[in-house]
């Protein structure tokens, strides 16, 4: 199969890039290794800057029709009280809120819109296993495993959007610089009742944190544990995990029995890293393949979408004209490196000053000074809202 662009990975970066390139008349083949998008993703947050982009694409009514929750403030609960962290009402309307939406709904929306364009092809259940090279060593596509066996997709440009464990990046020999993280995450569901809170809730306590994401009839829960601490948590047993959860959120005492076995608890390994070079001849890495983000702020989806928009804007016209060069590929890194570095720096400070401190604590965990400052000076909540909701360098079509 021949195409102008082969996009590897049907996540937010891959689908948004494919949609935007196809809108420009560029032929795109997108490989998605799964049969559908129905998986428990970490990223359920659609940020104001992403909502702005969807509106520009004419998808405002369709995104609002999906079962999302609007959240206009973010708070965190410590042992000494609940403190405001960000006030999104201070951002420009109409998207002055976060939308919490299961990522599969967001991806289905992008895929359905892209499918209306003649230059777009989505190959599901098709996993890239290697890159194809010509005699000069330039990447000219990928070798993949599909539902009917091996398949080759030959392309003028291959874009790796296949996540933090990118196969394409690995085959290129590109190794990201690791910055470390003090935590990993246990990912599980608990039932939700109408009397429970809505939106996002963060509870901070000694030795762990619990983030709950409202998905209408259940909570998607992220229990933060010390880095490499999963084996110890398993050794302590499910009763200890249930007790940890109810200590942080006492109203969950009537439902933690739902954690009946370890099959219901997934370990998510947190990584913060980025490539110094995002491209090689014939291939480009964006999204998590270029920079794995911490879950702090829930900005991973937004950064991936912004990467895709920048890539489509910078490279789309050259692809359509047939004038794309290897040097052009570095335009994306040059454009997107600043917001990546700034965001990761803020995340690393939060990991060290707040999360790491809580995970090391053996007694009560009180709100740190920066969090208290946000309460005393409410206008600063607009700054945190902008950093989380819009980012250091928002992109536009």
């Amino acid at each position: 199969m021949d195409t102008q662009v082969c996009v590897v990975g049907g996540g937010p970066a891959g689908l948004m890039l494919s949609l935007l390139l196809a809108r420009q008349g560029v032929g795109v083949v997108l490989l998605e290794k799964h049969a559908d998008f129905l998986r428990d993703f970490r990223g359920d947050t659609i940020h104001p800057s992403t909502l702005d982009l969807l509106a520009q694409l004419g998808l405002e009514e369709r995104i609002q029709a999906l079962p999302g929750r609007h959240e206009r403030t973010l708070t965190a609960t410590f042992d000494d009280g609940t403190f405001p962290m960000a006030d999104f009402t201070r951002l420009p309307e109409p998207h002055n809120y976060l939308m919490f939406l299961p990522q599969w709904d967001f991806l289905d929306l992008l895929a359905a819109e892209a499918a209306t364009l003649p230059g777009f092809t989505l190959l599901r259940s098709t996993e890239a296993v290697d890159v194809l090279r010509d005699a000069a060593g330039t990447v000219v596509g990928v070798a993949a495993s599909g539902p009917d066996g091996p398949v080759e997709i030959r392309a003028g440009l291959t874009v790796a959007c296949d996540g933090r464990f990118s196969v394409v990046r690995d085959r290129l020999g590109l190794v990201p610089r690791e910055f470390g993280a003090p935590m990993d995450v246990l990912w599980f569901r608990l039932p939700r009742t109408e009397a429970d809170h809505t939106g996002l809730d963060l509870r901070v306590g000694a030795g762990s944190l619990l983030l709950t994401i409202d998905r209408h009839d259940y909570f998607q829960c992220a229990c933060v544990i010390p880095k490499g601490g999963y084996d110890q948590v398993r050794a302590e047993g499910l009763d200890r995990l249930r007790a940890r959860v109810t200590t942080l959120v006492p109203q969950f005492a009537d439902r933690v029995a739902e954690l009946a076995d370890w099959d219901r608890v997934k370990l998510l390994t947190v990584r913060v890293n980025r490539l110094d070079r995002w491209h090689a001849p014939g291939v480009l890495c964006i999204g998590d393949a270029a920079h794995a983000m911490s879950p702090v702020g829930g900005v991973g989806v937004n950064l991936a979408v912004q990467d895709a928009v920048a890539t489509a804007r910078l490279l789309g016209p050259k692809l359509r004209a047939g004038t794309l060069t290897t040097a052009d590929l570095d335009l994306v890194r040059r454009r997107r490196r600043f917001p990546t570095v700034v965001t990761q720096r803020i995340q690393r400070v939060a990991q060290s000053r707040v999360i790491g401190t809580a995970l090391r604590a053996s007694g009560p965990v009180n709100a740190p000074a920066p969090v208290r400052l946000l309460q005393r000076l409410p206008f600063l909540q607009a700054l945190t809202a902008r950093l989380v909701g819009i980012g250091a360098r928002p992109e536009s079509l």
Side-chain angles (χ1 to χ4, degrees), residues 71 78 117 137 147 161 203-204 214 255 275 281 285-286 365:
E71 191 70 24
F78 297 81
L117 302 171
C161 304
R203 305 293 179 97
V204 183
D214 169 14
R255 67 198 79 171
L275 291 173
C285 298
I286 65 172
V365 179

Side-chain angles (χ1 to χ4, degrees), residues 194-388:
E194 286 301 317
D196 289 325
H197 65 270
T198 61
L200 191 74
D201 185 51
L202 175 64
R203 305 293 179 97
V204 183
S208 62
L209 299 82
L210 187 69
L211 180 72
T212 57
I213 302 167
D214 169 14
R215 286 188 178 168
H216 292 277
D217 58 345
Y218 70 93
F219 286 113
Q220 185 64 60
C221 301
C223 183
V224 180
I225 61 172
K227 188 72 176 176
Y230 180 65
D231 288 343
Q232 180 177 344
V233 171
R234 283 288 299 255
E236 290 173 347
L238 281 169
D239 284 342
R240 179 69 186 91
L241 176 60
R242 297 186 195 105
R244 186 193 299 253
V245 171
T246 54
T247 296
L248 291 168
V249 187
Q251 59 264 43
F252 284 177
D254 63 351
R255 67 198 79 171
V256 289
E258 293 288 327
L259 298 176
D261 55 62
W262 288 105
D263 289 339
R264 305 191 186 195
V265 181
K266 299 178 182 177
L267 172 66
L268 303 179
T269 302
V270 176
R271 300 177 69 185
V272 181
N273 62 33
R274 65 175 178 265
L275 291 173
D276 292 323
R277 179 165 58 92
W278 294 20
H279 77 284
V283 64
L284 173 69
C285 298
I286 65 172
D288 278 359
H291 48 75
M293 311 303 291
S294 165
V296 172
V299 296
V301 171
N302 197 42
L303 266 289
V305 167
Q306 301 292 324
D307 282 2
V309 174
T311 302
R313 190 181 65 248
L314 293 169
L315 305 186
K318 298 174 185 291
L319 285 161
R320 190 172 61 248
T323 60
L324 184 72
T325 67
T326 297
D328 292 329
L329 300 181
D330 196 45
L331 294 172
V332 177
R333 180 196 63 85
R334 289 161 58 187
R335 172 70 184 177
R336 297 302 303 159
R337 184 178 185 277
F338 172 74
T340 300
V341 170
V342 169
T343 304
Q344 287 184 332
R345 180 58 184 166
I346 294 170
Q347 290 180 327
R348 290 161 61 193
V349 169
Q351 287 179 164
S352 173
R353 302 283 179 84
V354 179
I355 297 174
T357 299
L359 293 177
R360 293 189 298 270
S362 56
V365 179
N366 295 330
V371 172
R372 293 177 176 279
L373 186 63
L374 289 170
Q375 185 179 49
R376 290 199 298 270
L377 302 175
F379 71 89
L380 291 178
Q381 296 172 38
L383 175 61
T384 56
R386 180 174 180 82
L387 288 171
V388 171

Side-chain angles (χ1 to χ4, degrees), residues 8-43:
V8 181
L15 274 162
M16 181 61 79
L17 175 61
S18 299
L19 170 59
L20 295 180
L21 289 179
R23 280 168 55 93
Q24 296 182 57
V26 176
V28 181
V29 173
L30 171 63
L31 308 187
E32 168 52 43
K33 67 181 181 180
H34 297 98
D36 55 43
F37 303 121
L38 290 172
R39 297 179 299 286
D40 274 335
F41 298 95
R42 278 170 284 189

